[in-house]
Amino acid sequence: MTSKEIVGKSTPLVDGAEKVTGEAVYTDDITLPGLLVGRILRSPHEHAQIESIRVVDASNLLGVHAVAVGADAPIRFGVLPMTKDETALAVDKVVYLGDGIAAVAADTEAIALEALSLIKVKTKVLPPVLRMDEALKPLKDGVEKIQPMHSYPGSRFKEVKQSFGDVEEAFRDARSSVKGSFRFQGVTHAPTEPHATIAHWSAQGRLTVWSATQVPHYLQRSLAEVFELPMHKVRVIRPYVGGGFGGKSDPFPHEMVAALLAKKSGRPVKILFDREELFITNHGRHPTKTEMALSADALGNLTALQIDALIDGGAWGSFGVITSYYNGALSMGPYKIPSFDYRGRRVTTNKPPSGAMRGHGAVNSRYALETLLDEIAEDLGMDPCAIRLQNAWQPHSLTPNGLRITSCGIRECIEVVREASGWDERRGNLPFGKGLGIGCGFYISGSALPIHWERMPQSTVHLKVDFDGGVTVHSLAAEIGQGSDTVLAQCVAEGLGVGLNRIRVYTKNSDTSPIDLGSYSSRVTFMAGNAAIRAAEKVAQQIVAGAARLTGQPASGFVLEGEEVIYAPNPTIRLSFVDAVREALFDSGALHGKGHYQAPNLNPDLPRVEILRGKESEKGAVMGGTHKGAAAGLSPSYSMSAYIAEVDVDPETGIVKVPKVWAAHDCGFAINPIAVEGQIEGCVHMGMGQALTESFDYNRGSGRIENANLLDYKIIPSTDAPEVEVFLVESNDPEGPYGAKEAGEGPLLPILPAIGNGIHDAVGIRMRHLPITPDKVLAALDKKR
Amino acid sequence: MILPPFLLHRPTTVDEAVDLAALHQEEGVSFLAGGTDLLPNWKNRLNNQPHLISLQSIPSLHDVESGKIGALATLHSLLGFSPLPQGLREAIEVVASPLIRTTATIGGNLLLDTRCHFFNQSPFWRATVGSCLKAEGPVCRVVPGANSCVATFSSDLAPLLMAMDATLSFVGPQGERSLPLRTFYQQDGIRRMVLKPGEILTTISWHDDPTLLTGYAKLRIREAWDFPLLGVGCAMGLCEGYLSNLSLFLGAVDSIPIEVPTESFLGEPLTDEAIEVIAKSAYARVKPMKNVGLTPSYRKRMVPVFVRRLLMRLRGDH
C-alpha cells in the first residue's frame, strides 16, 4: 500500500442519495400481499397479576385475523443470556405501565384498535415498586417480587464491587479530596424512526422478520429461541434504519409479537409503533444516583476515586448487568488514578425498562468525575486543563482495572481545544454570566467481550468480484445512519485500489451476509473494518495472481492502486483492475474473499474464558485482569476526547445557553472525516439535551410517563444547537483499521461536564442534578447569594 | 395515531360555512383553520366531532390589509406583510416552528385550546389516570376538588393583540358582530371564550398607530416548537418620555390572559421605579398551575423579570 486514496477522505455516505431522495426503503415502507396491521394492548397498571383475558369479542370482529396472548409464546428472551426476563406478551403479570398484554392482527389499524378495546382483561393490581430507595429495601410483607427469576433478593437486580489499591489510605493522605452526590434523570434515544417490524412465515415454515434493528443477529437468535426453531430457519432483514442510538439494540417483545401474530394468522403482519409506544417501552439511559469522591496529592496527581452508583433498571434486565459495571470500569481513563473503589447497584422497578444508550454506562459517572476534577483543580489552585494533562494516561498503559490502553491522544485533544478556545486568556476573565468549561471522555472501541460466550468471530466480511468488475461486500454490520456501510466500502476500495463506485454493500439480509454482532458498543468500524481489510487482502492476492500470470512477472511485485494493478519494480508493466480480475477468474469463477475479526485474547485465567477462546492465546497480548467483572470495559482500543464549551448563564432567569463548543476527539484515524465530524456534532447535540433539557418525567410519582411525545420531551432543536468546531486527533491505533477507533459514542461524554464546568466558571455554582433546568440554576444561585 | 372518522366539508363562502354548521350542530361540528393543534388533538380523541368544516377554501378569510387581517392568514404569510406592528412580528416569530407557521393561522392561534399535562395525552394515558374535567371526566386532576378547569392559556398572539386592543369580527347564525379581544376570553379552561355555537371568527383588526410601541416576550425551554410558559404582550405610547398609553397582558400563567393594571402611570415618565412597581404588580396577579413545563414557582418568579425587561426594551434601553 502506498499513499491512501480512499480512506481518510471525506466521503458522502454511500446510501445518502437514497435517503435524501426518499428512495430508501424503511420497514414501514414495505408492503406484502395480504399484509395485516398488528397492535398491542398495553397495561394501564404498573404492576398487576393477570387473572383472565377474554379475547372472544375481539376475535369475532370482522377484519380481525389473529389475537395473541402471553401464553401463546411464553419462552423468555433477552439480549444478555444471563438475564432473559422478557416475553412477547405478559404471561402471568404485567411489570410496568405499558407492558404488553395481548395483541391483534387486523385488516386495518382502525379495526385493530377497535379489537383491542374489545379485549377484556381482569387483573389484580399489585403494589408497585417505583423508587430506587424503596427497591433497595427488603420486600414488604405481601409484596411480590417484580421479576421472580432475578437472583438478587427483593428488587435488587445486580450488585457489583471492584476495588484496586488502598482507597482509604489514599484519601487519608490526600492533600485535596472532594465528593459529591449526583442525580441523573432518565433520558431516551428518540430516534426519528419509531420501532417497526414485519414478520412472515413462508410455506416451508421459515420465518422472515424485517425490523428496524441495530442487532439483526441477536434478533435472529431470540426469534429462534422463542419459536423453538433452528437458527437457520429464521431470516432477519434489516431495512434502512432511521436512527438507533442504542434504542434498537435489544431483541424486542414487539418483534416476537409480530412473528406470533403472523404465525397465528398465516399472513404477514406489520407492527409500527406510535411515538408514545416508543417512549413507554424506553430502554433509555438509567436514572442514576452517583456518590463520588476523588482525591489528589499536593502536586495535583490524582490518588483515589470512589464511586457508588445506584441505577434504576426499570422492569427488565436488558443490558443492565453491563451497565452496572460500566458506571465504574469506564471511569479508569483517560486519567491515571492508582486506587479505585466501586460499588454499582442496579434495581428493578415497575417502570419502563432502561437499557443501552449512546455512551452506555459511562455518561453519568463521567459527568460526576469531570465535575469533581474541576473542583480539585480549584482547591489546589491549578488550571483545569493543566490537571487533566498532568494526569492523562500515556500510550501503552494498563489501568488498575486491567484496561489495555494502546493509542492515546488525550493530551493532543486537551491541547488543541485549549489553544483554539483561547482558554488561557479567557477562562476566569469573562464577565459574570459567561464561562468556559472543559470535559474529557474515554470510551471503548467495541467490547472485547462478546455477549454470547461462543467460539465465533465478532465480525466477518465476504467479498465477491466478478466479470463485471464490480465488488460486492457482504456483512451483517447494521447501518443505522452512522455510516458503517460507507466505512466498509472505503476499506474494501482502499484494499483493492479501486474507486468507490465499484463497491456495492449488502448488509441487510442474514441469509446472504456473514454474521456481525451488530451496531452497539461502538464496535463496527473497528471490528467490521478490520474484517473488511482482511477480506480485501484475500481478494487482492487472487487479482495479483491473475496479473502475474498475464504479465509473467512475480506476484510479489504488484500493487493495486488507481484502478490498476501495477508491477512496482517496473511501473510501465501495468494492467487495468478489470483485466486483472478477468484473468484471475476465467478458470475459477468469481473471486471470493473473506476476512474476520476477533478481539485480542482475553485473560485465560478469567472464569469461563477457555470456553470462549481456548486456553491457548490466539495471538497478541492477553487482555484484562482476573477479578470478578474484569471483562467488562475491555476493548481492543479506547477513544479519547476533550471538549471546551462556552456557556452563557442568565443569572436572573437561570437560562443556560451554549453558543460554542470546541470538540477534539481522538478517533485514531478518520476513515471518513465528514462522518466522524457528523458523529461528534450529533453527540454534542444529544449530550446537551441530557445536560440541559431532556428528562423522562413521571406523573406525580407514578410509573406513568408524563411527556411521552416530542413536544413535551425536550430534545434540543437546531435553534439552540451550538456552533461546534471539530478537531480530529489521529493517534493511529496499532490495531485499528488503518489506525481508526470509535467515534459514535465517546464523543457524547465530554459535552455534559464541559457545560457543567462552564456554568461554574460563568456564575460560580456546581450543578449536581441533571438536567440543569433554569429553576435549578436559580435555586443554586439563591443558595450561593 | 390515526384520526377518528369524520365528514369533511369544504365550503367556499362564510355563509355556506355558517349554514353547514347550523345544519350539523346537533351531531357536532368543528371548524378547521390551519389544523396544527386541532388535528393532533383529534388524534388523541380530544374534542373530535363527526363534522369538520374546513374554512381554508373561503377566499375572503385570507384577505390581509393594514390593520385588518383575515382569520385564515397563515402566520408565515403575515411575516411578509408590511406594515406589521413590531410586537406582532415578535409574537409570530416565536410561535412553534417555521414549518408549523406556514400552516398555522392567526385566527387559529387566538382560538387555540388551553393545555394541561393531564389533558394533552393519548386515550391510553388518560385511561390510566382517569379523565379530567376538560376531557369529560368527573374531576380536575391538577387541583383535586376544583370544579373548574385550570388548563393553561397557550396562545402567543393573544396577549400582544389584547395589549394592542384588537377587535374580533364574527359571522354566525345570528349575523355579524364585533368584540374587543379584551372581552373575548373567559375564566374557564374548558369554554375559555365567548364564541357562540356555529360562529366563525372572520377578521382581526386594530387601530393602526405607527407611534405605538409594541413588544412580546416569551419564556420557553427551547427556542423552537414550545408553547409559552409565560408570554408578555405590551403596547406602549411614549410622548416625550411620558406614558400616553400602556397596556400589559400576561399569557400562559392562567386559563386566560391576565391584564396588569397600568392606568396610574399614564401621564408619568416610565422610570425604573415605575417599571419595578408594574413588575411587582404583575407578579402579584398570577398563580401558575403545575400543568405545563417547569415549576409554577419558577414561572411566577419570571413574571416580573420578563415584564421589566420588556418595558425597558420598549423604553429604548439596550
Side-chain angles (χ1 to χ4, degrees):
Chain A
M1 188 70 46
T2 50
S3 67
K4 299 187 183 75
E5 296 184 5
I6 305 287
V7 297
K9 302 227 162 59
S10 279
T11 303
L13 299 188
V14 293
D15 53 0
E18 282 86 341
K19 288 184 176 171
V20 298
T21 57
E23 192 181 303
V25 173
Y26 294 82
T27 303
D28 186 44
D29 295 325
I30 296 170
T31 186
L32 297 170
L35 184 66
L36 300 176
V37 177
R39 295 287 305 201
I40 297 170
L41 180 71
R42 299 189 175 281
S43 167
H45 306 294
E46 290 102 345
H47 198 189
Q49 197 73 39
I50 298 172
E51 295 185 328
S52 67
I53 307 177
R54 182 184 151 88
V55 302
V56 60
D57 298 330
S59 299
N60 288 340
L61 187 68
L62 190 67
V64 170
H65 296 267
V67 181
V69 296
D72 294 330
I75 295 175
R76 293 191 178 272
F77 67 93
V79 69
L80 300 187
M82 59 280 225
T83 55
K84 291 179 185 171
D85 55 9
E86 304 181 41
T87 49
L89 295 161
V91 176
D92 299 317
K93 63 172 187 172
V94 290
V95 289
Y96 72 97
L97 193 152
D99 205 354
I101 296 175
V104 300
D107 287 330
T108 66
E109 187 176 352
I111 297 171
L113 291 172
E114 192 186 345
L116 290 186
S117 72
L118 297 174
I119 297 175
K120 295 285 169 276
V121 184
K122 222 173 124 192
T123 52
K124 183 180 149 219
V125 175
L126 302 171
V129 176
L130 295 167
R131 296 201 325 268
M132 283 195 272
D133 51 355
E134 196 184 339
L136 285 173
K137 293 178 189 155
L139 290 177
K140 287 181 205 137
D141 277 348
V143 174
E144 179 166 340
K145 186 167 173 163
I146 299 170
Q147 295 280 18
M149 80 293 295
H150 291 167
S151 56
Y152 283 79
S155 267
R156 293 165 186 244
F157 171 79
K158 180 82 185 167
E159 179 158 346
V160 304
K161 280 184 177 164
Q162 293 187 331
S163 200
F164 305 94
D166 192 333
V167 170
E168 273 183 36
E169 186 183 80
F171 276 102
R172 212 168 38 237
D173 297 345
R175 159 66 182 76
S176 175
S177 63
V178 293
K179 61 181 178 179
S181 302
F182 296 84
R183 300 286 180 275
F184 304 89
Q185 291 288 92
V187 289
T188 197
H189 323 82
T192 308
E193 180 201 25
H195 293 318
T197 299
I198 298 173
H200 176 56
W201 295 77
S202 73
Q204 295 95 338
R206 264 195 108 211
L207 170 62
T208 297
V209 170
W210 293 256
S211 199
T213 178
Q214 299 175 229
V215 287
H217 176 61
Y218 297 151
L219 175 56
Q220 184 189 19
R221 279 177 182 255
S222 295
L223 288 164
E225 286 169 20
V226 170
F227 294 95
E228 299 180 279
L229 295 168
M231 216 190 295
H232 68 86
K233 288 276 196 185
V234 178
R235 176 170 65 143
V236 171
I237 298 175
R238 173 199 56 79
Y240 279 85
V241 173
F245 312 107
K248 296 170 181 167
S249 59
D250 293 63
F252 285 112
H254 70 268
E255 293 168 323
M256 309 301 144
V257 170
L260 178 59
L261 289 169
K263 191 177 185 184
K264 293 189 88 167
S265 65
R267 303 225 332 225
V269 172
K270 180 193 285 181
I271 291 181
L272 171 69
F273 273 20
D274 60 33
R275 186 55 63 175
E276 182 180 41
E277 286 180 290
L278 200 63
F279 274 94
I280 62 183
T281 56
N282 189 23
H283 288 76
R285 201 178 315 293
H286 289 65
T288 302
K289 296 181 177 181
T290 304
E291 307 293 322
M292 192 179 282
L294 182 68
S295 70
D297 66 17
L299 300 171
N301 297 312
L302 299 176
T303 55
L305 172 65
Q306 194 164 31
I307 306 176
D308 188 356
L310 175 60
I311 63 178
D312 187 343
W316 288 332
S318 186
F319 282 90
V321 171
I322 297 173
T323 326
S324 304
Y325 281 109
Y326 276 5
N327 269 273
L330 297 181
S331 305
M332 287 277 79
Y335 313 115
K336 184 178 178 181
I337 309 176
S339 49
F340 174 56
D341 181 71
Y342 173 59
R343 178 170 71 158
R345 289 176 296 171
R346 183 182 193 265
V347 294
T348 301
T349 57
N350 292 108
K351 291 197 296 208
S354 303
M357 181 169 160
R358 202 178 200 180
H360 181 199
V363 174
N364 295 347
S365 289
R366 175 61 46 189
Y367 180 83
L369 173 58
E370 297 286 330
T371 304
L372 293 185
L373 188 50
D374 245 40
E375 292 181 38
I376 283 218
E378 192 180 7
D379 188 40
L380 292 172
M382 288 181 74
D383 179 89
C385 286
I387 198 170
R388 285 171 169 84
L389 285 166
Q390 180 177 321
N391 286 282
W393 283 111
Q394 297 286 353
H396 303 292
S397 301
L398 191 67
T399 70
N401 60 338
L403 310 186
R404 183 198 66 161
I405 292 172
T406 51
S407 61
C408 179
I410 184 63
R411 285 190 164 70
E412 293 84 341
C413 288
I414 297 171
E415 275 158 4
V416 71
V417 292
R418 180 185 195 171
E419 172 76 25
S421 65
W423 174 271
D424 290 346
E425 308 79 50
R426 298 174 69 219
R427 184 182 174 274
N429 297 322
L430 296 168
F432 185 74
K434 213 166 184 41
L436 288 178
I438 184 170
C440 293
F442 172 85
Y443 203 70
I444 56 170
S445 210
S447 173
L449 173 80
I451 283 176
H452 297 91
W453 291 70
E454 286 166 12
R455 287 164 65 81
M456 62 184 284
Q458 287 154 304
S459 286
T460 305
V461 170
H462 286 178
L463 295 186
K464 184 207 85 172
V465 188
D466 213 335
F467 192 82
D468 66 356
V471 180
T472 308
V473 183
H474 290 284
S475 158
L476 208 56
E479 170 64 70
I480 55 169
Q482 84 280 42
S484 63
D485 276 4
T486 307
V487 162
L488 294 181
Q490 285 180 282
C491 287
V492 170
E494 185 73 43
L496 297 180
V498 298
L500 276 170
N501 61 359
R502 283 191 190 279
I503 314 290
R504 313 172 289 219
V505 185
Y506 288 80
T507 54
K508 294 185 168 71
N509 186 334
S510 68
D511 273 2
T512 52
S513 293
I515 292 173
D516 181 283
L517 297 185
S519 291
Y520 66 99
S521 88
S522 282
R523 53 176 298 285
V524 174
T525 292
F526 201 98
M527 297 189 179
N530 269 321
I533 289 171
R534 288 180 190 175
E537 284 166 3
K538 299 274 174 55
V539 172
Q541 285 165 11
Q542 299 167 47
I543 295 169
V544 165
R549 191 160 62 199
L550 211 55
T551 60
Q553 303 297 335
S556 59
F558 284 91
V559 294
L560 286 76
E561 65 179 47
E563 301 252 322
E564 289 187 303
V565 186
I566 302 164
Y567 184 61
N570 178 5
T572 61
I573 301 173
R574 54 175 68 204
L575 41 143
S576 76
F577 174 78
V578 173
D579 287 347
V581 165
R582 288 177 176 180
E583 174 62 22
L585 66 75
F586 90 90
D587 60 351
S588 67
L591 308 182
H592 282 263
K594 65 179 178 184
H596 76 284
Y597 180 83
Q598 179 70 283
N601 197 35
L602 294 162
N603 193 327
D605 293 330
L606 262 173
R608 295 199 299 148
V609 88
E610 59 193 288
I611 305 168
L612 185 61
R613 301 282 168 81
K615 263 287 182 190
E616 295 306 309
S617 165
E618 257 183 39
K619 61 175 170 179
V622 169
M623 296 173 68
T626 58
H627 54 279
K628 185 162 170 46
L634 286 186
S635 172
S637 187
Y638 297 89
S639 74
M640 316 274 169
S641 37
Y643 292 4
I644 288 174
E646 186 170 317
V647 176
D648 290 342
V649 182
D650 184 329
E652 215 176 10
T653 64
I655 293 172
V656 177
K657 298 285 177 198
V658 183
K660 175 92 195 230
V661 175
W662 295 266
H665 179 70
D666 167 19
C667 62
F669 170 76
I671 290 174
N672 188 3
I674 195 174
V676 177
E677 287 167 19
Q679 285 289 330
I680 292 169
E681 288 168 3
C683 278
V684 166
H685 177 262
M686 196 167 205
M688 192 172 146
Q690 187 186 351
L692 297 178
T693 56
E694 290 180 41
S695 170
F696 231 70
D697 294 334
Y698 288 95
N699 179 259
R700 315 264 159 126
S702 69
R704 196 168 49 239
I705 304 158
E706 188 166 87
N707 54 348
N709 61 71
L710 292 175
L711 183 58
D712 295 313
Y713 183 83
K714 304 289 183 188
I715 290 169
I716 302 259
S718 59
T719 46
D720 299 54
E723 179 191 348
V724 183
E725 197 172 335
V726 173
F727 302 90
L728 301 183
V729 171
E730 299 186 316
S731 59
N732 193 18
D733 190 80
E735 295 176 21
Y738 297 104
K741 302 190 281 192
E742 75 91 25
E745 300 188 70
L748 190 139
L749 307 179
I751 184 63
L752 294 86
I755 292 171
N757 290 334
I759 291 171
H760 181 261
D761 187 44
V763 293
I765 51 174
R766 290 286 178 199
M767 300 307 296
R768 301 196 193 281
H769 295 190
L770 264 48
I772 305 169
T773 49
D775 51 323
K776 290 181 193 161
V777 171
L778 282 194
L781 281 169
D782 287 348
K783 216 171 148 190
K784 183 179 159 247
R785 281 181 193 125
Chain B
M1 295 293 281
I2 50 175
L3 281 166
F6 58 87
L7 201 59
L8 178 68
H9 305 271
R10 301 164 83 175
T12 54
T13 65
V14 172
D15 289 344
E16 197 188 335
V18 170
D19 290 347
L20 276 167
L23 185 65
H24 299 294
Q25 197 67 51
E26 273 187 23
E27 289 172 81
V29 167
S30 194
F31 292 113
L32 176 75
T36 55
D37 190 55
L38 182 124
L39 295 178
N41 281 347
W42 278 32
K43 286 186 177 182
N44 275 335
R45 305 299 185 268
L46 295 168
N47 303 333
N48 52 302
Q49 304 293 344
H51 293 274
L52 183 62
I53 303 174
S54 169
L55 304 177
Q56 286 166 347
S57 305
I58 303 174
S60 64
L61 294 180
H62 297 267
D63 288 347
V64 177
E65 54 187 275
S66 186
K68 192 172 174 214
I69 309 285
L72 267 280
T74 66
L75 298 182
H76 175 77
S77 73
L78 289 177
L79 288 178
F81 183 73
S82 179
L84 188 70
Q86 174 62 20
L88 187 54
R89 176 175 299 280
E90 289 171 13
I92 290 172
E93 282 179 340
V94 295
V95 172
S97 67
L99 202 62
I100 290 174
R101 294 198 296 266
T102 61
T103 309
T105 65
I106 183 170
N109 192 271
L110 291 177
L111 302 181
L112 187 72
D113 202 354
T114 52
R115 302 186 62 83
C116 174
H117 278 328
F118 285 87
F119 176 72
N120 297 98
Q121 297 286 359
S122 71
F124 166 75
W125 195 97
R126 299 198 310 273
T128 66
V129 63
S131 250
C132 70
L133 282 176
K134 190 169 165 67
E136 291 163 0
V139 287
C140 175
R141 305 282 167 184
V142 179
V143 186
N147 51 15
S148 71
C149 172
V150 296
T152 295
F153 186 84
S154 299
S155 160
D156 281 303
L157 269 47
L160 188 275
L161 287 168
M162 288 170 90
M164 287 169 57
D165 199 14
T167 300
L168 304 184
S169 299
F170 307 89
V171 176
Q174 278 86 47
E176 297 183 22
R177 66 166 177 153
S178 289
L179 268 183
L181 178 59
R182 288 177 183 178
T183 64
F184 181 59
Y185 299 108
Q186 66 175 16
Q187 186 71 36
D188 182 320
I190 299 169
R191 287 188 303 276
R192 76 192 181 279
M193 54 191 142
V194 297
L195 197 68
K196 291 178 184 161
E199 212 169 34
I200 297 170
L201 171 62
T202 54
T203 55
I204 298 96
S205 56
W206 57 86
H207 173 61
D208 220 356
D209 176 1
T211 68
L212 195 68
L213 302 165
T214 57
Y216 183 69
K218 174 175 182 173
L219 170 67
R220 53 180 167 172
I221 294 173
R222 306 176 292 188
E223 289 184 22
W225 303 327
D226 289 350
F227 284 100
L229 297 170
L230 163 66
V232 185
C234 182
M236 183 191 291
L238 270 183
C239 189
E240 293 175 354
Y242 291 84
L243 278 172
S244 57
N245 180 0
L246 180 62
S247 293
L248 196 58
F249 284 81
L250 309 174
V253 285
D254 206 319
S255 291
I256 59 169
I258 299 294
E259 182 169 17
V260 182
T262 54
E263 314 82 57
S264 59
F265 298 93
L266 297 183
E268 302 288 330
L270 187 60
T271 60
D272 287 354
E273 293 72 28
I275 287 176
E276 216 43 58
V277 173
I278 296 168
K280 276 191 180 142
S281 126
Y283 177 84
R285 300 185 77 80
V286 300
K287 189 171 179 290
M289 291 288 156
K290 188 176 167 49
N291 59 3
V292 291
L294 294 176
T295 62
S297 62
Y298 174 79
R299 285 160 57 215
K300 185 172 165 83
R301 183 171 173 173
M302 286 306 101
V303 168
V305 176
F306 276 65
V307 166
R308 170 162 41 81
R309 287 181 177 187
L310 179 60
L311 291 177
M312 292 176 96
R313 175 159 68 82
L314 291 179
R315 185 177 67 174
D317 295 9
H318 290 295

